[in-house]
Amino acid sequence: MDASRPTIADVARVAGVSKGLVSFALNGRPGVSPESRTRILAAADELGWSPSIRARSLSADQSFAVGLVIARDPEIIADDSFFPSFISGVEQVLAPRGQSLVLSVVPDEHLEEATYRRLASERRVDGVILTDLRSNDSRIALLGDIGLRAVTLGRPDTDATAPPAVTLDDDLAIHDAVRHLVDLGHTRIAHVAGPDRMVHAAKRKASFLHAMADFPQAQPVVVETNFSAADGARATSQLMSASAPPAAIVYANDAMAIAGIGVARRAGLDVPSQLSILGFDDSAIGRYIEPALTTVATDARGWGFTAADVLLRLVGGESVNDVELQPARLVVRSSTAKAPGEPA
């Protein structure tokens, strides 16, 4: 062992606490006050302390890693601003606690299931974060069968015993988005939705249709996509070529909304005077394009931070309940305006 390498005893001395409390703080265990945890993490950073993962794994019979398996086309992942922000939030929890993220992006559900089985059999991870919940999601039962702890993003609609969930209510924000467009005089309003088999995409579509039902003068149209920018562009072209094209479009993510702005402009339409466009997620790039994107804001980094924290608490033996994040909210910028023909 390198004698110059700082130890937990050194961290305890600098932080002015016991070695036991340092161990609890660095492993994300309960029983450490926020002030003590902050002081301990600062001392570890000052000393350049890093954990010996091999020694910790042998002594604690843990891998000190969590898994994230995403079954999507890699090109769709590249388009979507949600996952980089989400992973940033996850790492914000894992890195200070000496934990690692094992990320796998697979093209289909068959390889996804095989990946979960491999992670469990090889004891590569102590638990997983389950994203993109599906209708009657078979992964819930699978993870229970192979003994992998899990936390889900959103509540599954399956009858199987579900793990703890991190949830966010976006129903009111979507209703606010529809009301915003109706208040601007829009009646022909379309929704470019995600794949219906994904619980969160189906929920957003249902919220849109439910909100539209409150305004009998409004005429809803829905086009389903795979969440990619390319499919958002395809859906926009389809809507623009209809005999009665919409004057406003609500997209299920910002990437598709930004692609929609490009399609509209190439077709000679002005956004927003001739077509209002509204996104979902509040990605950073949407704030700086012209026109700046009106969107439904969610906290992707907060999703990741909370999901990782809940999972580590679960791995540490705590009994964990569902966690509700702050609800989504409508952010009005300059990509929405009065419907064509309405007074300015």
Side-chain angles (χ1 to χ4, degrees), residues 125-142:
V125 299
D126 299 314
V128 295
I129 300 171
L130 199 62
T131 69
D132 289 341
L133 291 178
R134 304 169 194 133
S135 181
N136 297 314
D137 204 318
S138 61
R139 295 174 297 173
I140 304 297
L142 169 67

Side-chain angles (χ1 to χ4, degrees), residues 112-128:
E112 182 186 24
E113 178 176 325
T115 301
Y116 283 123
R117 292 187 181 279
R118 176 174 55 80
L119 290 175
S121 65
E122 296 176 0
R123 303 173 69 87
R124 293 279 307 281
V125 299
D126 299 314
V128 295

Side-chain angles (χ1 to χ4, degrees), residues 70-190:
I70 306 172
R72 290 200 196 186
D73 186 318
E75 290 187 7
I76 298 176
I77 297 293
D79 288 344
D80 196 337
S81 64
F82 175 84
F83 281 105
S85 296
F86 177 81
I87 291 171
S88 173
V90 171
E91 287 289 1
Q92 193 176 350
V93 172
L94 299 187
R97 302 182 189 180
Q99 301 272 346
S100 300
L101 176 66
V102 178
L103 173 65
S104 295
V105 178
V106 295
D108 57 54
E109 295 172 20
H110 175 72
L111 283 176
E112 182 186 24
E113 178 176 325
T115 301
Y116 283 123
R117 292 187 181 279
R118 176 174 55 80
L119 290 175
S121 65
E122 296 176 0
R123 303 173 69 87
R124 293 279 307 281
V125 299
D126 299 314
V128 295
I129 300 171
L130 199 62
T131 69
D132 289 341
L133 291 178
R134 304 169 194 133
S135 181
N136 297 314
D137 204 318
S138 61
R139 295 174 297 173
I140 304 297
L142 169 67
L143 295 177
D145 290 343
I146 62 179
L148 265 183
R149 300 178 186 89
V151 58
T152 65
L153 299 191
R155 293 186 182 92
D157 63 359
T158 176
D159 292 334
T161 301
V166 179
T167 65
L168 179 145
D169 183 7
D170 53 29
D171 185 72
L172 181 59
I174 293 173
H175 194 283
D176 287 343
V178 170
R179 178 181 292 278
H180 167 66
L181 293 172
V182 171
D183 287 347
L184 291 170
H186 290 282
T187 56
R188 302 191 313 278
I189 305 174

